[in-house]
């Protein structure tokens, strides 16, 4: 969806500092269904990030990043980084006030790198400020990265098929009884999930198209007027809060980069032999605390860095790193986990029998079902 709508938008977009803003308004007002294509594209990016964030936190809960699936996890994070790069460069293209100043602030962070920072920023801008060369570069890369992203997705799928997928129990497949066919079970499940996501996307496209954006971005970029509060898109807000939590510019950049880099070494920071949080009572509690911490960081990042937001952001940033560097390694050594089931099918049958004893209707496909037993006797 993102690639198709992006190609159509590129047919009408003009990557020039004097014409970009007007070309976007032309798409919205004059191109047939241009408003629909643009709203699907912009809100589709948010849905893409929402799906990926759900996927990441689900992997954290079920321990899908652990051995032998470290390569799957790392390739997935590469997809995440490419998404972030493509989204940031796409956010600059409308050339509104927030687009221009977000590009100015974020690209200026590169100047914090000792010795070569200023040179890198000049090379990135294509000049001495964010201007037409910057817009051309960002448009070119924004068009290229999604196709590169598709290639990495295939690598992700290859690694998944090579090492096999994880399961909510977090235990290895031991026999054919532990598996079910992809169709109809997962095809139906995926269609339901797709329907829910498209329903949510349709609500935003037709009823709340600008809810996740900034109204100031409908003002043409003006290098002489700085907005009172510069914020990125919602999916970058937790990292933006971590960046602002450190008073020093270089320290903030290091903290923000480290908050993403630490995810790459997560498989080795978590020392527990048990994967799924279902059998790790303490980890399950810390997981929900960590999720709440990320949500609070996003809320802090959406607000100006003043008053109570400063110390709240600093505390949440400290806990973010403590979760990976202190809590996870210690839990692996001291946590008392629940006993793991011997196999997936035994755990499923045991749960089915328990449900039957509690009054739930018996599963007609189970070997423990009275219908199956009667048929076997006859």
């Amino acid at each position: 969806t993102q690639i198709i709508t992006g190609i159509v938008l590129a047919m009408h977009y003009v990557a020039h500092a004097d014409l970009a803003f007007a070309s976007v308004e032309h798409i919205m007002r004059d191109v047939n269904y241009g408003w629909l294509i643009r709203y699907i594209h912009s809100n589709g990016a948010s849905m893409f990030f929402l799906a990926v964030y759900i996927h990441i936190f689900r992997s954290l809960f079920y321990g899908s990043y652990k051995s032998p699936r470290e390569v799957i996890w790392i390739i997935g994070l590469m997809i995440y980084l490419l998404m972030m790069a493509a989204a940031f460069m796409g956010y600059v293209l409308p050339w509104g006030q927030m687009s221009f100043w977000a590009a100015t602030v974020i690209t200026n962070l590169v100047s914090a790198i000792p010795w070569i920072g200023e040179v890198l920023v000049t090379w990135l801008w294509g000049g001495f400020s964010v201007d037409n060369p910057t817009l051309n570069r960002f448009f070119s890369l924004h068009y290229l990265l999604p196709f590169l992203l598709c290639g990495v997705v295939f690598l992700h799928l290859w690694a998944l098929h090579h090492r096999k997928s994880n399961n909510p129990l977090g235990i290895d497949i031991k026999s054919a009884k532990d598996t079910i066919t992809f169709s109809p079970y997962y095809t139906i499940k995926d269609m339901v999930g797709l329907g829910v996501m498209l329903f949510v996307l349709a609500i935003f496209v037709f009823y709340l198209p600008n809810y996740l954006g900034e109204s100031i971005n409908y003002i043409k970029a003006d290098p002489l007027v700085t907005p009172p509060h510069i914020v990125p898109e919602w999916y970058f807000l937790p990292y933006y809060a971590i960046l602002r939590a450190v008073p020093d510019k270089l320290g903030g950049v290091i903290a923000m980069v480290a908050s993403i880099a630490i995810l790459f070494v997560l498989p080795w920071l978590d020392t527990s032999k048990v994967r799924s949080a279902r059998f790790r009572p303490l980890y399950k509690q810390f997981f929900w605390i960590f999720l709440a911490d990320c949500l609070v960081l996003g809320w802090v990042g959406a607000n100006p860095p003043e008053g109570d937001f400063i110390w709240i952001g600093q505390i949440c940033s400290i806990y973010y790193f403590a979760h990976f560097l202190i809590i996870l390694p210690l839990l692996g050594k001291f946590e008392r986990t629940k006993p793991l089931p011997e196999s997936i099918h035994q755990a499923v049958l045991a749960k089915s029998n328990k449900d039957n004893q509690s009054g739930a209707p018996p599963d007609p496909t189970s070997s423990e079902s009275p219908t199956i037993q009667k048929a076997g006797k006859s």
Side-chain angles (χ1 to χ4, degrees), residues 50-241:
L50 177 62
V52 168
Y53 280 134
I54 292 173
H55 187 55
I56 289 174
F57 279 100
R58 185 180 184 276
S59 299
L60 293 176
F61 187 85
Y62 292 125
S64 301
Y65 52 86
K66 293 188 177 184
S67 177
R69 299 178 180 86
E70 300 95 335
V71 174
I72 304 175
W73 173 255
I74 291 173
I75 295 176
L77 291 175
M78 292 170 60
I79 293 173
Y80 181 46
L81 290 178
L82 287 172
M83 285 175 57
M84 294 173 72
F88 168 66
M89 292 175 184
Y91 188 57
V92 176
L93 300 186
W95 211 241
Q97 272 288 74
M98 194 59 71
S99 297
F100 176 86
W101 287 101
T104 302
V105 170
I106 300 302
T107 53
N108 251 314
L109 298 176
V110 181
S111 65
I113 302 174
W115 301 301
I116 61 171
E118 296 293 340
V119 176
L120 288 176
V121 170
T122 303
W123 174 82
L124 186 63
W125 286 343
F128 299 102
S129 64
V130 176
D131 208 336
N132 193 57
T134 318
L135 181 62
N136 275 290
R137 294 175 183 211
F138 278 26
F139 175 65
S140 177
L141 291 174
H142 181 67
Y143 202 98
L144 169 68
L145 288 178
F147 297 98
L148 182 61
L149 185 63
C150 284
V152 182
V153 166
F154 278 104
L155 283 178
H156 193 56
L157 291 172
W158 166 82
L160 180 69
H161 281 275
H162 181 65
R163 288 298 184 181
K164 309 302 179 186
S165 60
N166 191 26
N167 55 79
L169 295 176
I171 59 178
D172 294 327
I173 296 173
K174 295 181 174 62
S175 67
K177 293 181 180 180
D178 291 340
T179 63
I180 56 176
T181 57
F182 189 85
S183 182
Y185 298 105
Y186 280 93
T187 48
I188 295 296
K189 179 175 179 287
D190 288 351
M191 287 174 65
V192 172
L194 178 63
V196 171
M197 295 295 283
L198 290 177
F199 178 74
V200 176
L201 174 61
I203 291 175
F204 278 98
V205 168
F206 293 108
Y207 295 100
L208 303 165
N210 297 300
Y211 183 78
L212 299 174
E214 297 290 332
S215 59
I216 197 173
N217 217 32
Y218 280 94
I219 301 174
K220 188 177 180 180
D222 187 349
L224 301 179
V225 179
T226 307
H229 183 213
I230 300 173
V231 291
E233 289 284 75
W234 68 268
Y235 33 79
F236 295 139
L237 291 176
Y239 301 114
Y240 192 52

Side-chain angles (χ1 to χ4, degrees), residues 298-333:
W299 171 63
V300 170
N303 289 278
E306 57 189 25
D308 293 337
F309 293 115
I310 296 176
W311 64 264
I312 294 175
Q314 291 172 342
I315 292 174
C316 290
S317 299
I318 292 171
Y319 183 83
Y320 179 92
F321 289 102
H323 177 82
F324 296 108
L325 298 175
I326 300 175
I327 295 174
L328 288 185
L330 291 179
L331 282 179
K333 297 181 181 297

Side-chain angles (χ1 to χ4, degrees), residues 336-352:
R336 297 186 63 180
T337 60
K338 297 179 181 179
L340 294 175
E342 294 183 6
S343 65
I344 297 174
H345 74 274
Q346 287 184 359
V348 173
L349 290 177
K351 184 177 184 300
S352 177

